[in-house]
């Protein structure tokens, strides 16, 4: 069975600080897909990124960057120069299938608070 | 505006009553999903439907039922058999993007049963 562990439960930073959210996953399959979602106070999950197991290239999107390392089964997310609007719960998730029957396994989420 | 709507945002029921949560999408997506979220927990899959008139149990289907009579609609009924129904319920739908079905989530319904 798959498992996603987000060991950090709550993180509080001051605006403009950099912050890294950790994600460790477990699966015996060689093909899998990893995700990060943001859940603002409104409740809706917002998709941030998807990464395939066969693509270890790191990715940067504006202030967001992701570090995927198969050797340590980690898919960490860094926010550079954090802003108050980044305050949310962040979930890491994993699935084995790309199809409509895709079952996402979620971590418990990390609550990020960015103080002005 | 295309999207997923869930109504109402907050729902209150007495213990022992069945309650139906609405989920509608006008994105023309084939697949739809229901997730449950408890405080400090990740989302867990309740049911999913890949096409109209077909649905499968997820990881925590006991005490829930669904129907998929129309492509746009995937209502979830929380029955009195569900022992801990108070939770935040999220609906999602998915469409194929380059070989992968991306899931898009609705705003959720917070159900409180007392």
């Amino acid at each position: 069975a798959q498992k996603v562990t987000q060991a950090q439960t709550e993180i509080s930073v001051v605006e403009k600080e950099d912050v890294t959210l950790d994600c460790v996953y477990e699966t015996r399959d060689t093909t899998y897909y990893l995700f990060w979602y943001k859940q603002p106070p409104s409740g809706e999950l917002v998709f941030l990124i998807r990464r395939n197991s066969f693509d270890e290239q790191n990715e940067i999107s504006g202030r967001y960057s992701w570090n995927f390392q198969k050797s340590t089964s980690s898919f960490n997310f860094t926010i550079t120069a954090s802003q108050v609007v980044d305050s949310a719960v962040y979930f890491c998730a994993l699935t084995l299938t790309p199809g409509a029957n895709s079952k996402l396994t979620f971590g418990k989420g990390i609550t990020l608070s960015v103080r002005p | 505006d295309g999207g997923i709507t869930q109504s109402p945002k907050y729902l209150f029921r007495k213990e022992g009553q069945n309650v139906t949560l609405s989920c509608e999408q006008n994105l023309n997506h084939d697949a739809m999903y229901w997730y449950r979220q408890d405080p400090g927990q990740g989302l867990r899959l309740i049911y999913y439907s890949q096409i109209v008139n077909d649905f499968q149990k997820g990881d925590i289907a006991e005490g829930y039922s669904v129907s998929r009579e129309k492509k746009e609609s995937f209502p979830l009924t929380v029955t009195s058999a569900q022992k801990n129904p108070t939770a935040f319920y999220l609906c999602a739908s998915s469409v194929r993007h380059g070989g992968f079905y991306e899931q898009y989530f609705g705003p959720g319904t917070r159900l409180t049963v007392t």
Side-chain angles (χ1 to χ4, degrees):
Chain A
Q2 296 71 243
K3 186 178 180 182
V4 175
T5 301
Q6 296 181 263
Q8 304 153 309
T9 54
E10 295 184 19
I11 300 175
S12 182
V13 299
V14 176
E15 206 169 17
K16 297 184 183 177
E17 283 186 25
D18 298 348
V19 58
T20 295
L21 310 181
D22 297 333
C23 173
V24 174
Y25 61 92
E26 296 175 33
T27 179
R28 293 186 176 184
D29 286 63
T30 56
T31 300
Y32 50 89
Y33 306 82
L34 295 164
F35 302 79
W36 275 96
Y37 287 90
K38 175 182 180 179
Q39 186 177 42
S42 59
E44 183 173 344
L45 255 69
V46 177
F47 168 83
L48 296 177
I49 190 172
R50 167 169 57 90
R51 177 60 79 213
N52 307 324
S53 58
F54 39 87
D55 181 5
E56 279 194 82
Q57 203 168 25
N58 291 329
E59 181 152 342
I60 298 175
S61 176
R63 296 185 296 108
Y64 295 171
S65 62
W66 291 270
N67 184 336
F68 177 29
Q69 291 196 339
K70 290 175 74 171
S71 61
T72 56
S73 297
S74 65
F75 186 42
N76 297 337
F77 173 30
T78 297
I79 301 174
T80 302
S82 60
Q83 300 175 1
V84 173
V85 293
D86 295 326
S87 296
V89 182
Y90 290 86
F91 291 98
C92 181
L94 175 149
T95 186
L96 301 181
T97 60
N101 60 343
S102 173
K103 293 185 181 181
L104 288 165
T105 298
F106 285 84
K108 293 187 177 182
I110 301 170
T111 300
L112 174 64
S113 299
V114 181
R115 310 187 304 277
Chain B
D1 267 322
I4 302 170
T5 57
Q6 292 185 245
S7 59
K9 181 72 173 174
Y10 299 94
L11 193 53
F12 298 89
R13 280 295 183 269
K14 293 291 186 183
E15 197 172 325
Q17 294 179 338
N18 291 354
V19 58
T20 297
L21 281 59
S22 166
C23 178
E24 305 278 333
Q25 55 98 1
N26 60 3
L27 302 167
N28 200 33
H29 288 178
D30 288 318
M32 297 186 73
Y33 313 78
W34 274 105
Y35 291 88
R36 169 182 173 137
Q37 183 181 8
D38 294 285
Q41 302 293 320
L43 280 68
R44 291 180 291 169
L45 183 65
I46 304 173
Y47 269 99
Y48 67 100
S49 167
Q50 298 182 69
I51 56 172
V52 174
N53 293 322
D54 184 60
F55 47 83
Q56 286 80 40
K57 293 181 179 180
D59 299 321
I60 55 165
E62 185 175 350
Y64 300 97
S65 65
V66 293
S67 63
R68 187 85 187 279
E69 298 176 0
K70 299 186 299 181
K71 189 175 185 178
E72 308 79 35
S73 179
F74 191 40
L76 173 74
T77 297
V78 184
T79 74
S80 55
Q82 168 50 234
K83 295 177 182 176
N84 296 296
T86 295
F88 187 54
Y89 292 88
L90 282 155
C91 176
S93 66
S94 71
V95 66
R96 184 172 174 147
H97 279 306
F100 195 95
Y101 277 79
E102 298 283 4
Q103 293 189 25
Y104 297 83
F105 287 82
T109 291
R110 191 168 298 280
L111 173 65
T112 302
V113 177
T114 57

